[in-house]
Amino acid sequence: MDYELPTEFDIIIIGTGVIESIISAAASRIGKRVLHIDSNNYYGGLWASFNLDAIQKLATVEETLNEGLGNTFFNVKNFEIEWHIPSETPPESTEWSRQSLLKESRRFNLDLAPKLQFARGDFVELLISSNIARYSEYRSVSRVLTWLNGQLETVPCSRSDVFANNKVTVIEKRMLMKLFLALDSGEEDYHNYENKTFRAFLTDKKLTPNLIHYVLYAIAMCTDDTPCLQGIKNTKRFLDSLGRFGKTPFLFSMYGSGEITQAFCRLSAVFGGIYALNQPLKGLILNGDNFEGITCGTQEIKAGVLVMGAEKAPPHFIKQHPKSSIARAILITDKSIMESEKEHLTLLLYPPEGGKNSCVVLELGCLTGTCPKDLFVVHLISRQVEGPQNDFKHIIGNLFGPEKANILWSCYFSIPDSNDLDLTVETPKNVTLCPGPDLDLDYDDAVRKAKAMFTDIFPDCEFLPRAPDPEEIIIEGETSDQDNVELKAESAKTEE
Amino acid sequence: MAKTYDYLFKLLLIGDSGVGKTCVLFRFSEDAFNTTFISTIGIDFKIRTIDLDGKKIKLQIWDTAGQERFRTITTAYYRGAMGIMLVYDITNEKSFENIKNWIRNIEENASADVEKMLLGNKCELEEKRQVSKERGEQLAIEYGIKFIETSAKASIRVEEAFFTLARDIKAKMEKKLEASNPPKGGHQLKATEPQRKPTNWLSRCTLL
């Protein structure tokens, strides 16, 4: 280490997951002295992206525990990696081999927790209002698919989709439009449906089975048991986000979802947050029910507040252990699940089937910056029932194989879900634990949690006000060697 | 609104803490110098538009935001970068030795064809020099990149350095443009995107 860390901060944040990083950015932004530290040598924790080489290595260190701080309750589990191609092929061969794929390792950005963003969701609004949007780029999801009657079907979610969809009859199109208009106008009366399911509501609307499938499983992302009001809310959310950035309501961050945490960390650093990864975190300094600091290597670092990822907490802070897990699979394939002239960024909402939960399938091509040309990365995400291999068997059987896309490499794992646990029970009052990835498609809930935690720690402080653009920063005394530098953010519009 | 430039280049500054990256940036973008920067708080990137062979080139130059101090530059920092200034301090041997580590970091995270250049900064401090000009030149030859000694404080060759890097990127880009059209990247999210028209799509569909 070239430099020693400073030893006094207002707040120490351990772990670089999404919620920790948002809090870090928000605290730095209002001038708090922030130390943001991680025992990993990469950003993102359970929300990170890895190249092909790195994710393979991750599988082998899964159960190791940092000396001192951390617990194993939230570790990624059931890691299984399998190659479906030979380790080498003859030099003249154009087939992929393990060797040729690993040569492209760096072009892969494989997310532990892939996410999409609703174009008009809280997360996107926060990115724009805080000016953090400038640290990352996005691509819009170009089609939404579902699995219906034994095949893939495009979900009509834009006007052109509706016209292009020859599986939807003219009468069905009218039904669908009527429903959307009614939901959008807010005039519809739902009070008879408070105790009924969304499926019951759609059935009462006399929608055809196909339309019920589209609306229930794809647009509203519900199950057969989802209460009506929740289904209505979900549908509205989908419709609200249409027509802003692309043909569908969804955006994907280029180079993988792992970049998201880094965007918030960058803002935190720009406003003075100190970053240190790969740190030997030994333990916490506690005085009764009060957190006073951390021990990092041989240094003692003090702060009034600690925020940490749940997986970094000492085991005795965790009263409740995870009850459920997120089943995950990452596949590298040689073709799209539904081939087309142009490269698509595909979201497939696979309905519940035979006791298995519904599944989000995300297919990313090279234009997303997550894989090399001519290959695709496919993510599967579901609430775990038996285990990732068994939970996805039927889907993988239906989507891949001879005559279809081939799987070159597969990786299965489970992420324990810490979002339905009460993480406040056993922690000192000035310590906040952040949950890891949830099953949501998007980050909106993570933003809400981060904001609530921030407001709890710093009441009456503004949450991520707009950061000035570089040209708005005026440096005073810039030609003098003696004067202190003073950064002054002018209000946004004074010059115009 | 008409574009006020022909090309936009994203450039990065990389190198150890205290080698003068932010000073180089300010010398180039504002023609100013200040020795009292403790770190680079608040500095995200600076912009300067230059003329090169009749083309207006907007240089967006990013600073490390202090994340180099404990080797915690984000992978996101490198995305889309077309040129990188590797900066060391000629009065600091360690900062020169670390250039190799920074190059490894760039190789791991930046695009393979990113244009690189080596800067030996603080060349006005001849009496404190620890790294000879020859060693700088030698290292640059080893990596096949250009090398220049600069002084942000005395305003020596900083302009020349950025113009050289920009010219090399432009040449590479124009060569590439001739060969093929590169794929488009992602979109930046801006509040100025089309405003919401709640019933637009739906109302048009009532034609059905």
Side-chain angles (χ1 to χ4, degrees):
Chain A
M1 173 79 57
D2 299 76
Y3 305 88
E4 292 247 294
L5 286 163
T7 52
E8 279 231 18
F9 290 90
D10 296 318
I11 174 170
I12 294 175
I13 298 171
I14 301 176
T16 45
V18 166
I19 295 178
E20 299 94 297
S21 301
I22 295 175
I23 296 172
S24 172
S28 290
R29 182 69 188 84
I30 57 165
K32 301 292 173 188
R33 295 169 302 160
V34 176
L35 173 65
H36 200 171
I37 197 164
D38 201 324
S39 47
N40 298 328
N41 63 356
Y42 53 86
Y43 283 94
L46 293 167
W47 312 71
S49 304
F50 297 93
N51 65 35
L52 186 54
D53 211 29
I55 202 163
Q56 307 227 113
K57 285 183 184 138
L58 194 73
T60 62
V61 295
E62 135 187 26
E63 289 302 332
T64 57
L65 180 61
N66 306 305
E67 49 170 327
L69 269 184
N71 62 73
T72 52
F73 307 131
F74 305 107
N75 275 13
V76 173
K77 293 182 171 67
N78 307 325
F79 236 118
E80 281 179 70
I81 284 180
E82 199 184 334
W83 288 93
H84 304 262
I85 44 175
S87 64
E88 276 180 64
T89 46
E92 67 275 12
S93 169
T94 53
E95 301 281 304
W96 286 99
S97 70
R98 190 172 169 155
Q99 206 179 37
S100 60
L101 211 57
L102 278 172
K103 224 171 158 181
E104 302 283 329
S105 166
R106 270 197 46 214
R107 293 190 189 276
F108 288 99
N109 285 295
L110 306 170
D111 288 325
L112 290 184
K115 293 281 179 187
L116 295 177
Q117 291 99 49
F118 277 91
R120 255 176 257 278
D122 292 350
F123 183 78
V124 167
E125 298 301 348
L126 176 67
L127 282 183
I128 294 170
S129 67
S130 63
N131 227 343
I132 291 173
R134 65 167 171 247
Y135 301 128
S136 42
E137 285 185 297
Y138 298 84
R139 289 193 78 85
S140 52
V141 170
S142 56
R143 62 182 178 188
V144 179
L145 306 179
T146 185
W147 183 259
L148 174 62
N149 304 327
Q151 56 187 347
L152 289 171
E153 297 287 357
T154 308
V155 176
C157 60
S158 73
R159 185 168 176 258
S160 57
D161 282 354
V162 175
F163 273 110
N165 195 318
N166 53 17
K167 302 284 169 59
V168 181
T169 66
V170 175
I171 295 168
E172 285 181 317
K173 283 171 188 173
R174 282 203 186 123
M175 281 178 178
L176 203 55
M177 296 326 306
K178 211 177 137 197
L179 174 76
F180 290 166
L181 272 173
L183 292 179
D184 201 61
S185 68
E187 285 157 13
E188 187 79 28
D189 188 4
Y190 312 110
H191 78 264
N192 288 333
Y193 288 93
E194 271 153 8
N195 297 314
K196 291 187 185 167
T197 63
F198 189 47
R199 180 180 262 285
F201 171 80
L202 296 174
T203 312
D204 288 354
K205 287 277 162 199
K206 304 217 164 32
L207 260 58
T208 61
N210 280 3
L211 287 188
I212 290 178
H213 181 105
Y214 286 138
V215 177
L216 185 67
Y217 298 131
I219 291 174
M221 287 171 253
C222 290
T223 66
D224 291 340
D225 308 324
T226 307
C228 176
L229 297 184
Q230 185 63 46
I232 303 274
K233 210 174 133 193
N234 291 5
T235 310
K236 278 183 151 171
R237 196 168 174 227
F238 185 100
L239 297 175
D240 272 351
S241 279
L242 278 172
R244 188 182 203 184
F245 294 117
K247 277 178 68 184
T248 74
F250 306 108
L251 295 168
F252 179 76
S253 57
M254 293 273 297
Y255 311 107
S257 304
E259 300 275 300
I260 291 288
T261 70
Q262 298 182 16
F264 285 91
C265 292
R266 165 92 192 172
L267 186 91
S268 181
V270 166
F271 283 90
I274 299 215
Y275 276 80
L277 302 181
N278 206 10
Q279 293 299 306
L281 298 175
K282 304 281 191 206
L284 306 182
I285 304 163
L286 300 170
N287 183 359
D289 192 32
N290 196 45
F291 162 82
E292 293 190 335
I294 60 167
T295 316
C296 178
T298 55
Q299 281 190 287
E300 284 196 358
I301 304 170
K302 304 275 169 145
V305 180
L306 175 70
V307 170
M308 70 200 306
E311 78 278 13
K312 308 284 186 193
H316 65 271
F317 278 13
I318 310 294
K319 182 83 170 172
Q320 302 177 342
H321 295 180
K323 295 186 270 276
S324 63
S325 285
I326 301 165
R328 289 277 294 112
I330 308 175
L331 315 172
I332 297 173
T333 66
D334 62 353
K335 247 189 257 166
S336 170
I337 51 172
M338 195 183 195
E339 285 196 278
S340 157
E341 270 176 34
K342 67 162 207 165
E343 180 184 312
H344 275 286
L345 205 174
T346 308
L347 170 65
L348 160 62
L349 297 156
Y350 202 101
E353 204 176 270
K356 300 286 163 54
N357 286 322
S358 59
C359 176
V360 168
V361 182
L362 198 57
E363 187 188 69
L364 311 168
C366 80
L367 293 180
T368 61
T370 60
C371 67
K373 210 165 170 282
D374 301 325
L375 292 177
F376 289 86
V377 168
V378 181
H379 289 284
L380 289 90
I381 310 141
S382 180
R383 172 72 64 205
Q384 184 162 305
V385 183
E386 293 170 30
Q389 292 262 20
N390 280 335
D391 289 355
F392 297 137
K393 214 173 179 174
H394 62 298
I395 302 173
I396 287 175
N398 284 334
L399 298 179
F400 305 100
E403 310 289 307
K404 298 176 193 165
N406 293 303
I407 299 172
L408 312 181
W409 175 91
S410 60
C411 168
Y412 293 89
F413 55 93
S414 317
I415 303 177
D417 191 345
S418 47
N419 284 273
D420 49 359
L421 307 180
D422 183 354
L423 296 169
T424 61
V425 191
E426 295 294 326
T427 55
K429 286 190 178 54
N430 53 348
V431 173
T432 305
L433 299 188
C434 306
D438 54 29
L439 198 62
D440 288 1
L441 191 62
D442 59 288
Y443 290 110
D444 288 8
D445 199 45
V447 168
R448 272 190 292 277
K449 282 177 180 147
K451 189 175 178 178
M453 288 174 186
F454 171 81
T455 312
D456 209 35
I457 299 166
F458 303 113
D460 309 320
C461 290
E462 199 179 347
F463 178 69
L464 286 171
R466 181 180 171 280
D469 286 322
E471 55 270 30
E472 295 163 18
I473 298 174
I474 289 175
I475 299 198
E476 294 190 342
E478 56 196 9
T479 48
S480 155
D481 283 1
Q482 277 81 45
D483 291 354
N484 281 327
V485 176
E486 194 185 331
L487 301 180
K488 217 171 162 187
E490 292 188 317
S491 65
K493 295 261 154 61
T494 46
E495 296 288 315
E496 286 170 17
Chain B
M1 201 175 71
K3 259 203 321 198
T4 52
Y5 56 87
D6 298 298
Y7 299 128
L8 171 69
F9 293 169
K10 178 180 174 182
L11 310 182
L12 308 181
L13 290 159
I14 297 268
D16 280 8
S17 280
V19 299
K21 294 185 295 297
T22 308
C23 292
V24 167
L25 178 58
F26 272 76
R27 172 58 68 198
F28 180 68
S29 61
E30 317 243 309
D31 198 20
F33 183 79
N34 193 312
T35 55
T36 56
F37 294 113
I38 302 162
S39 65
T40 49
I41 292 176
I43 316 289
D44 216 342
F45 57 83
K46 292 297 244 173
I47 284 174
R48 182 172 156 192
T49 305
I50 59 170
D51 274 308
L52 216 56
D53 314 323
K55 295 269 192 244
K56 284 218 181 307
I57 300 181
K58 186 172 170 180
L59 301 178
Q60 187 189 54
I61 311 160
W62 290 68
D63 205 348
T64 50
Q67 285 179 311
E68 80 287 8
R69 228 174 315 167
F70 302 99
R71 303 244 178 285
T72 50
I73 304 256
T74 60
T75 55
Y77 183 64
Y78 293 99
R79 303 290 182 203
M82 298 152 91
I84 298 179
M85 284 290 190
L86 282 145
V87 191
Y88 69 90
D89 171 357
I90 65 146
T91 71
N92 180 343
E93 171 75 31
K94 192 86 212 270
S95 74
F96 179 71
E97 284 166 18
N98 275 334
I99 289 291
K100 286 189 176 170
N101 297 331
W102 288 118
I103 288 186
R104 200 173 318 130
N105 210 295
I106 291 168
E107 281 167 356
E108 274 167 26
N109 295 301
S111 150
D113 62 352
V114 69
E115 203 63 47
K116 295 182 282 284
M117 184 163 180
L118 185 64
L119 292 196
N121 192 37
K122 305 195 188 177
C123 74
E124 84 281 3
L125 299 174
E126 193 55 55
E127 70 283 5
K128 289 188 186 163
R129 182 189 280 275
Q130 291 183 356
V131 184
S132 72
K133 195 174 172 190
E134 289 68 34
R135 288 175 66 205
E137 279 165 353
Q138 194 51 46
L139 188 70
I141 289 168
E142 221 174 282
Y143 287 106
I145 61 180
K146 286 186 180 161
F147 168 69
I148 234 171
E149 281 197 347
T150 57
S151 166
K153 187 173 188 181
S155 190
I156 301 169
R157 288 188 292 272
V158 175
E159 290 271 303
E160 190 186 331
F162 280 99
F163 272 78
T164 306
L165 185 63
R167 191 171 284 116
D168 289 350
I169 296 169
K170 180 169 166 278
K172 189 181 263 182
M173 202 176 80
E174 282 167 349
K175 207 166 140 194
K176 233 198 229 166
L177 275 177
E178 274 170 35
S180 71
N181 286 319
K184 272 197 183 136
H187 301 285
Q188 291 253 319
L189 304 182
K190 298 224 175 72
T192 50
E193 294 281 341
Q195 283 305 299
R196 179 167 191 237
K197 291 176 199 147
T199 51
N200 184 17
W201 174 75
L202 295 170
S203 57
R204 270 189 287 147
C205 284
T206 52
L207 288 173
L208 285 169

